[in-house]
Amino acid sequence: MDSAAPLAGSLAIVRTVAELRARVRIWRAGGERVGLVPTMGALHDGHLSLVARAQEDCDRVVVTLFVNPKQFGPNEDFARYPRDESADAAKLGAAGADLLYAPDVAMMYGDGFATTVTVVGLTDGMEGAVRPGHFAGVATVVAKLLNQAGADDAYFGEKDYQQLAVIRRLADDLDIATRIHGVPTVREADGLALSSRNAYLTNDQRKIAPALQRGLAAAAAALAGGAAVQSTLDAACAAILKAGFDAVDYVELRDAYTLASLSTLTRPARLLAAARLGKTRLLDNLAVDPR
Ligand code: AMP
């Protein structure tokens, strides 16, 4: 066993792969099913919904906390990304998670680290276009976390829909045995998707922010009612800007599974958008089904 001290509830914290594997091995040897919830911390109710979903399926839940430098571009918010491990641990303890795995950068990317996991196709466009290198960083760290934990199941938010598709693909392609599950987006009462980055918003920006979801919802309703795709996407973009967003990076209609671009709504689809309020980028997406 390892020396991890119990914290709030029965939550323990470990920081090395060896300690993580020892814990998981003991649980699985005892016939327990283990769920994994990867996060970058600054935990909110969206993250906790992943924990709750994992608890429904599994006997033990491991949450990972690692702000992954490889998925941030040089001009992005890695340095100022919100970090508060003790607050996160308290939330996880109260939620009944079993283990927090919080490695440091040296543990994840030791001397001589030279491997990158690259998923092609699904990473074209949208976040992949706006954030070059982002998905290689995500795919590399998620492949590592899945290999390190060897969990039965792993849980990711639909909030980051393109990321979820990339993770499903890499787990399949690399024969990773952990089952990947997508969990619906948790929202504020006014529709804003919960995000650690919402903490960056000023009061005025926070009032504008739900317009992203409203723009998508209006577009989803129009498309479901038979409206033409391109004019609907253009109208959504205009509505989001009119509400006060500073820029729209994209509003797109994609196949719900392959993420292929759609010019007509003929199969289950997803509307995905990213827009900026000042320096803060917000993402959202909604399901749209053909009539
Ligand atoms: P992050 O800490 O932002 O990397 O997110 C960790 C996990 O939580 C990812 O799988 C996200 O998709 C998921 N997540 C983030 N926000 C939400 C939300 N509002 N609802 C559900 N899942 C979320």
Side-chain angles (χ1 to χ4, degrees):
M1 273 298 286
D2 55 71
S3 58
L7 206 87
S10 54
L11 182 77
I13 302 179
V14 294
R15 300 187 189 279
T16 67
V17 181
E19 292 169 310
L20 170 66
R21 286 196 170 137
R23 293 261 169 171
V24 172
R25 196 181 312 120
I26 288 165
W27 287 331
R28 296 196 74 210
E32 293 187 299
R33 186 164 156 185
V34 178
L36 186 75
V37 178
T39 81
M40 298 204 300
L43 299 182
H44 50 62
D45 286 349
H47 299 111
L48 296 180
S49 80
L50 304 185
V51 173
R53 173 63 204 288
Q55 286 170 325
E56 284 172 20
D57 297 347
C58 302
D59 304 295
R60 301 285 181 172
V61 176
V62 179
V63 178
T64 77
L65 193 179
F66 181 62
V67 184
N68 174 33
K70 288 192 186 289
Q71 70 187 70
F72 289 78
N75 299 317
E76 293 183 357
D77 56 345
F78 176 67
R80 69 178 184 125
Y81 196 82
R83 291 168 172 86
D84 190 345
E85 183 183 302
S86 44
D88 290 342
K91 286 178 193 167
L92 294 172
D98 296 279
L99 185 66
L100 175 60
Y101 171 54
D104 64 13
V105 173
M107 172 61 52
M108 291 299 277
Y109 303 119
D111 283 349
F113 188 89
T115 300
T116 300
V117 178
T118 308
V119 177
V120 298
L122 286 170
T123 55
D124 292 346
M126 302 191 291
E127 292 305 291
V130 180
R131 305 181 69 189
H134 170 68
F135 283 124
V138 170
T140 302
V141 81
V142 170
K144 283 176 67 70
L145 292 168
L146 293 171
N147 277 326
Q148 289 175 347
D152 298 279
D153 299 271
Y155 299 84
F156 298 87
E158 289 181 350
K159 153 85 171 33
D160 300 287
Y161 198 83
Q162 191 177 14
Q163 168 177 286
L164 174 61
V166 167
I167 291 166
R168 286 189 194 283
R169 185 79 254 164
L170 82 86
D172 215 13
D173 290 353
L174 299 180
D175 305 304
I176 292 173
T178 307
R179 280 178 296 271
I180 306 299
H181 303 269
V183 179
T185 301
V186 176
R187 299 177 179 283
E188 303 280 7
D190 60 9
L192 176 64
L194 298 192
S195 164
S196 305
R197 290 189 167 97
N198 293 350
Y200 299 149
L201 299 174
T202 63
N203 287 342
D204 286 346
Q205 289 171 335
R206 174 64 188 80
K207 287 182 196 139
I208 297 167
L212 180 59
Q213 187 272 342
R214 280 202 307 274
L216 288 183
L223 290 169
V229 171
Q230 193 54 52
S231 57
T232 304
L233 300 181
D234 292 344
C237 187
I240 293 163
L241 288 170
K242 184 154 183 262
F245 273 84
D246 295 300
V248 175
D249 286 341
Y250 57 84
V251 180
E252 298 207 15
L253 186 71
R254 298 283 188 118
D255 181 287
Y257 306 108
T258 65
L259 294 191
S261 269
L262 295 181
S263 53
T264 52
L265 183 62
T266 46
R267 40 202 163 137
R270 205 87 188 175
L271 263 174
L272 304 99
R276 298 178 193 242
L277 273 170
K279 285 186 184 162
T280 305
R281 286 185 79 239
L282 299 181
L283 309 188
D284 209 338
N285 64 85
L286 288 180
V288 199
D289 290 319
R291 285 191 282 184

